[in-house]
Amino acid sequence: MSQETDATRFHEWDKLAENWITTEESFDQDFPTKPFDPASRTYSSVAEWVVEVIFGLTVSNDSAGKGSTLPGYDIKSRDAYQMIQLSLATELAEGTGHLVECYADGNGVVHFYTIGETRSNVLGSQIFYKINTSTLSKRCDNVLVLGYDPPPKRYTGESFNLFTFKNSIQKGWSTALDTALTDDKESVPYPIYHTWGEILGPEQCPYYKEGYIEYGDTFFDHNLVLQKMNIIDSSKFETVSTYIYKIHVPWFEQASTNIKFGNTTPKFIELKGTGGNPDFGKLQERTWQTTTKYIASLCRDGKEPEADRGKRLPRSNERKFLGVREVYIHGYKLKQIREDYYGSGNDRIPGGSNFIIDLDSALAEPFRLTRGQDYVILDDPDDREYKRIVFSANIHPDYVENFGGSIDGTIKATVRVSPASIYDPDTKGRVEFIDLYDPNETYTGRLKDGETVVNNQPDGLPFSGPVTIFPINEGQSGYIVEKIVVIYDWDNPCIAVHDEENKVTKENLRLITVDVYPMIVRDEKPPISWTHGGQTELLDPTEIIPDYEVATIEDLDSTTYARAFTSLETGDIKITLPFLDANECMIVSKFIYDMQNEVIKQTNYICSPDSEPVLGELIDGKTINSIDYSYQDSSQYLISVNAGPMWMGISGWDTSIYQNKTEQIQLKGIVTGVDTNQIKCQVMIEQIGVMDCINASKEILEKGDRVAVTIHNNPVAK
């Protein structure tokens, strides 16, 4: 499916995420997480289906419908009779609980009969004698029954605004969060917009190519935040596997606009002094090291500058400050700087300004400085928590007087345009002067850009008054500084926006929206019933969910849920019957507990040939468990009936506290088909065959991919 519009993109999963955005309700419709309705099947019981379809036998009319469809089971690779038993085991939850067994009569008709509920028609006169063979009491203190464990399901939660998410996180939720929130010193709510063009000025159209939308730390890795913001519900055992970002840029242009996510933000900081003027602080004098090159002393030998050198970097003491990325001077490039005078020799006359300058344009531009050459970043000697930037004076000592001031101070100077930079507006050639530098004659023209009107007087430039000059090339050229911009690396995430058509203004950045869709995986726990001391209760698995607050101490071992499992001993029972709901788990656990704690009395009845005992029926309140026919001759034909407890499996239960009926297994497979929503896939699984599977990961699957498949509720024979 294509994206919604040209202005909308889904980060990482463009053209796919649209199909992934599904509500929990639609997920349940497509992928049922509850036992399938048996009424929609031809056979309402796996036991009945196995007998008639697999074995080719007939099930009696009174047995039809007994058992379950065993939803979610892999029955293809299991023992057939085991599946009959497991299907009939679902009858444990019927009424107050009862057992159903399977047998075939003499005509080959299979019966599913209920044990211990029908009174035998064997009369007292038909019983010759009886013998009590044994009495056994085996105490069981605890019975745990686990019910249906729904497989994990994946769906998309409600979307939220990425840029404003941090504003809703409050102090007091946890100690760790309070520390992180305290570290954030921003005085305005998020988002914060940064653009080169806005920093440099409205006339800088060519620099509206890049900008950044800074937003606060989302704390997506803090489960407590996700709970407080109602993104996940811990009581439903929800976690977030990944996030989908829906980016909407109304002014998006293909092949021009580019959006990227960044872990840190470039933050633009202007260095200003008194009155808002650009301020370098005092420059650090360089030392002549060779005949061709100057190197700042502090760069060469690591010495700290003098205390009054440089400028303290604002907010560099905050934890969000990671360092300095770049430093720019925004101003005018001076091709040449010379002392302002005219005449020569003894006739040398001051020209009225400190310097005469050559320049081509009065349009300010940004110029990048070189770290280690033009500036260094050091600890502030006045306060080590801050950083200080120190600029070096790129001037040969022989030319210091050309600047008419102290080399270690902020240079404030007056300038006028060199006649060599003034062009005749008519001929577009340089204006002819009798004395090029004589200010007594006013000569007007344009700079080389053809637009800026200037003259050779001290006030002949568009900017007037003293200027700040940053010298380069030993002071023979430099920059008239309008702004000093230091770009910090700031520990906040951002969206970086680039546009080749210079559309990145603050107004346009405010039109960009990013909606976040959390991809939630819900792995609810099965219902668990605990019968102990004659009482039955449902366990609450949410009791062992931590509160994610590092400052608190939780005693999760003393909860009822934890005590139920730690109290199991030899002779106790823990069984998984994944076809049971919560209420049925309680019925079954009480039934097993009562049967297991019943005093076992077994009796052999010797009956006459005309008696008709039936397995599972009651005789003297005992369940008929076996019938033996003894025939020697016409005078010695007897029927031996063994009757005792209904729960004949008791001798097997006391060897272990665990009687698992299902397990989770992981098998390898190959994807043979993928639905467009990337949630449902068809996989050829080893040992099993093709099955519909749910993609619970964030990976995009394709036909032929090799995957690992987890199969839930896989039956185990024990």
Side-chain angles (χ1 to χ4, degrees):
M1 181 183 293
S2 61
Q3 60 265 17
E4 292 183 359
T5 67
D6 289 340
T8 302
R9 294 290 187 274
F10 287 90
H11 180 55
E12 291 193 46
W13 298 283
D14 197 20
K15 300 182 181 180
L16 288 172
E18 298 92 328
N19 295 317
W20 286 18
I21 298 176
T22 176
T23 63
E24 180 182 0
E25 289 71 22
S26 65
F27 186 100
D28 275 335
Q29 293 171 6
D30 297 336
F31 310 98
T33 55
K34 296 181 179 179
F36 197 77
D37 182 7
S40 63
R41 298 291 187 184
T42 303
Y43 286 91
S44 61
S45 167
V46 167
E48 186 178 355
W49 177 80
V50 170
V51 169
E52 295 194 346
V53 176
I54 303 301
F55 293 153
L57 301 175
T58 302
V59 175
S60 63
N61 293 331
D62 60 347
S63 299
K66 290 184 178 180
S68 166
T69 56
L70 298 180
Y73 274 88
D74 164 33
I75 66 173
K76 294 182 179 180
S77 60
R78 314 307 301 185
D79 177 76
Y81 188 67
Q82 177 194 352
M83 291 298 99
I84 292 177
Q85 291 179 310
L86 196 60
S87 176
L88 294 177
T90 60
E91 297 293 325
L92 282 169
E94 293 296 323
T96 58
H98 55 251
L99 295 174
V100 176
E101 190 53 88
C102 169
Y103 83 100
D105 61 20
N107 297 319
V109 177
V110 176
H111 298 263
F112 302 146
Y113 63 94
T114 303
I115 299 175
E117 292 187 0
T118 304
R119 184 174 179 178
S120 175
N121 59 4
V122 176
L123 303 176
S125 60
Q126 295 174 318
I127 300 175
F128 293 154
Y129 61 90
K130 59 183 178 180
I131 302 173
N132 292 327
T133 59
S134 64
T135 299
L136 177 63
S137 176
K138 186 65 177 179
R139 186 166 183 79
C140 173
D141 295 325
N142 300 279
V143 174
L144 284 176
V145 175
L146 285 71
Y148 175 71
D149 185 4
K153 65 176 180 178
R154 188 188 70 183
Y155 64 95
T156 308
E158 293 293 330
S159 64
F160 56 87
N161 189 304
L162 175 66
F163 298 149
T164 60
F165 184 80
K166 169 66 179 300
N167 300 334
S168 300
I169 300 176
Q170 302 174 12
K171 289 186 177 181
W173 287 356
S174 75
T175 304
L177 282 176
D178 286 350
T179 301
L181 293 174
T182 302
D183 291 341
D184 193 338
K185 306 293 185 181
E186 294 295 347
S187 58
V188 295
Y190 293 106
I192 302 173
Y193 302 95
H194 308 277
T195 64
W196 243 133
E198 302 288 348
I199 290 291
L200 302 181
E203 76 279 1
Q204 301 298 319
C205 294
Y207 298 99
Y208 281 95
K209 291 183 183 295
E210 62 180 291
Y212 307 90
I213 304 176
E214 176 187 357
Y215 56 95
D217 192 344
T218 55
F219 299 101
F220 284 164
D221 56 342
H222 286 63
N223 283 315
L224 180 62
V225 172
L226 301 182
Q227 292 179 51
K228 293 286 189 180
M229 300 296 285
N230 296 319
I231 294 176
I232 63 172
D233 185 349
S234 60
S235 65
K236 296 179 180 178
F237 298 92
E238 292 179 341
T239 58
V240 177
S241 62
T242 188
Y243 296 90
I244 295 176
Y245 298 86
K246 182 180 180 181
I247 307 170
H248 182 68
V249 185
W251 42 273
F252 178 88
E253 290 291 340
Q254 187 68 31
S256 175
T257 310
N258 186 32
I259 307 292
K260 291 184 179 180
F261 283 76
N263 294 324
T264 60
T265 299
K267 187 180 281 289
F268 302 106
I269 303 295
E270 288 189 55
L271 298 184
K272 297 180 180 180
T274 305
N277 296 318
D279 186 6
F280 286 100
K282 290 186 177 181
L283 303 181
Q284 175 70 26
E285 183 178 357
R286 290 192 175 197
T287 303
W288 181 262
Q289 301 297 333
T290 70
T291 58
T292 60
K293 187 177 182 181
Y294 296 101
I295 301 176
S297 301
L298 56 98
C299 297
R300 179 175 57 86
D301 53 21
K303 293 181 180 179
E304 291 188 356
E306 298 177 26
D308 60 347
R309 296 296 194 270
K311 182 77 174 176
R312 174 180 289 182
L313 292 176
R315 303 184 65 182
S316 59
N317 65 324
E318 298 181 22
R319 290 183 179 271
K320 293 284 185 179
F321 174 79
L322 300 178
V324 173
R325 286 190 178 189
E326 296 173 328
V327 178
Y328 284 86
I329 285 177
H330 180 238
Y332 314 98
K333 178 68 176 292
L334 305 180
K335 296 190 298 182
Q336 187 176 27
I337 303 173
R338 65 180 295 272
E339 190 176 357
D340 185 9
Y341 66 88
Y342 64 99
S344 61
N346 294 330
D347 296 328
R348 180 171 172 172
I349 302 171
S353 298
N354 298 120
F355 302 105
I356 289 181
I357 58 174
D358 279 318
L359 75 166
D360 291 334
S361 173
L363 179 65
E365 296 180 84
F367 302 96
R368 181 180 177 182
L369 300 183
T370 302
R371 186 166 186 166
Q373 184 73 14
D374 298 318
Y375 70 92
V376 290
I377 306 297
L378 304 168
D379 290 336
D380 192 331
D382 297 333
D383 187 342
R384 295 289 178 178
E385 291 188 359
Y386 284 89
K387 294 294 182 180
R388 179 180 288 268
I389 183 169
V390 179
F391 295 90
S392 60
N394 192 352
I395 309 170
H396 192 283
D398 294 346
Y399 295 94
V400 172
E401 65 273 11
N402 289 351
F403 286 84
S406 173
I407 190 172
D408 59 357
T410 301
I411 300 171
K412 289 286 188 178
T414 56
V415 297
R416 65 188 183 97
V417 179
S418 167
S421 295
I422 302 176
Y423 287 76
D424 189 309
D426 297 324
T427 65
K428 296 186 179 179
R430 286 190 175 88
V431 177
E432 296 295 332
F433 299 98
I434 298 175
D435 188 332
L436 294 179
Y437 302 107
D438 186 353
N440 294 317
E441 296 290 337
T442 300
Y443 302 100
T444 302
R446 298 180 186 274
L447 295 179
K448 194 174 182 179
D449 60 18
E451 296 180 358
T452 307
V453 178
V454 295
N455 60 52
N456 63 332
Q457 299 301 310
D459 59 354
L461 282 164
F463 44 85
S464 60
V467 295
T468 299
I469 297 179
F470 185 79
I472 59 175
N473 297 328
E474 303 177 14
Q476 299 180 43
S477 60
Y479 304 100
I480 292 179
V481 180
E482 289 287 331
K483 295 179 180 179
I484 306 169
V485 181
V486 181
I487 303 179
Y488 289 177
D489 196 17
W490 202 252
D491 191 15
N492 266 338
C494 77
I495 300 291
V497 184
H498 183 88
D499 186 84
E500 290 295 333
E501 298 182 5
N502 301 301
K503 295 181 180 179
V504 187
T505 64
K506 282 190 176 181
E507 289 73 17
N508 279 343
L509 288 183
R510 290 188 177 96
L511 298 177
I512 297 176
T513 60
V514 177
D515 294 321
V516 183
Y517 292 83
M519 190 65 72
I520 297 174
V521 175
R522 177 180 293 179
D523 189 8
E524 293 184 351
K525 303 304 177 184
I528 303 176
S529 175
W530 180 30
T531 301
H532 59 105
Q535 297 180 342
T536 302
E537 60 181 309
L538 278 176
L539 298 181
D540 182 7
T542 62
E543 290 182 343
I544 58 172
I545 297 177
D547 61 9
Y548 302 108
E549 170 54 74
V550 296
T552 62
I553 299 176
E554 298 175 279
D555 186 10
L556 300 179
D557 293 335
S558 64
T559 62
T560 302
Y561 186 92
R563 287 190 295 106
F565 284 88
T566 57
S567 62
L568 293 175
E569 299 175 348
T570 300
D572 293 341
I573 297 172
K574 174 176 174 285
I575 183 173
T576 301
L577 298 174
F579 40 75
L580 302 180
D581 60 23
N583 183 61
E584 292 169 341
C585 283
M586 297 182 68
I587 294 174
V588 173
S589 66
K590 184 179 185 306
F591 177 80
I592 294 176
Y593 180 86
D594 292 341
M595 294 298 99
Q596 188 73 352
N597 283 284
E598 182 182 9
V599 176
I600 301 173
K601 295 181 180 180
Q602 294 196 39
T603 303
N604 280 338
Y605 294 88
I606 307 302
C607 303
S608 63
D610 60 345
S611 62
E612 297 181 356
V614 178
L615 286 173
E617 292 185 345
L618 295 175
I619 181 171
D620 292 342
K622 303 180 183 66
T623 302
I624 298 176
N625 293 316
S626 65
I627 303 173
D628 292 326
Y629 296 88
S630 176
Y631 180 81
Q632 294 183 1
D633 53 41
S634 59
S635 63
Q636 292 186 350
Y637 178 28
L638 301 175
I639 300 176
S640 177
V641 176
N642 180 272
M646 181 190 307
W647 193 255
M648 284 301 294
I650 187 168
S651 60
W653 292 99
D654 60 7
T655 59
S656 174
I657 61 174
Y658 295 103
Q659 291 295 323
N660 293 320
K661 291 296 182 183
T662 64
E663 66 177 354
Q664 290 186 12
I665 61 173
Q666 193 172 75
L667 299 174
K668 295 180 180 180
I670 299 177
V671 178
T672 60
V674 183
D675 287 9
T676 56
N677 57 21
Q678 273 288 322
I679 296 178
K680 185 178 180 181
C681 306
Q682 294 75 46
V683 182
M684 174 64 73
I685 304 175
E686 294 179 356
Q687 306 175 21
I688 294 179
V690 177
M691 290 185 68
D692 285 339
C693 301
I694 296 173
N695 177 17
S697 71
K698 71 174 184 178
E699 301 298 328
I700 297 175
L701 298 179
E702 297 179 349
K703 291 178 65 175
D705 286 347
R706 295 185 178 274
V707 294
V709 180
T710 300
I711 299 178
H712 299 264
N713 297 326
N714 193 60
V716 179
K718 282 195 176 181

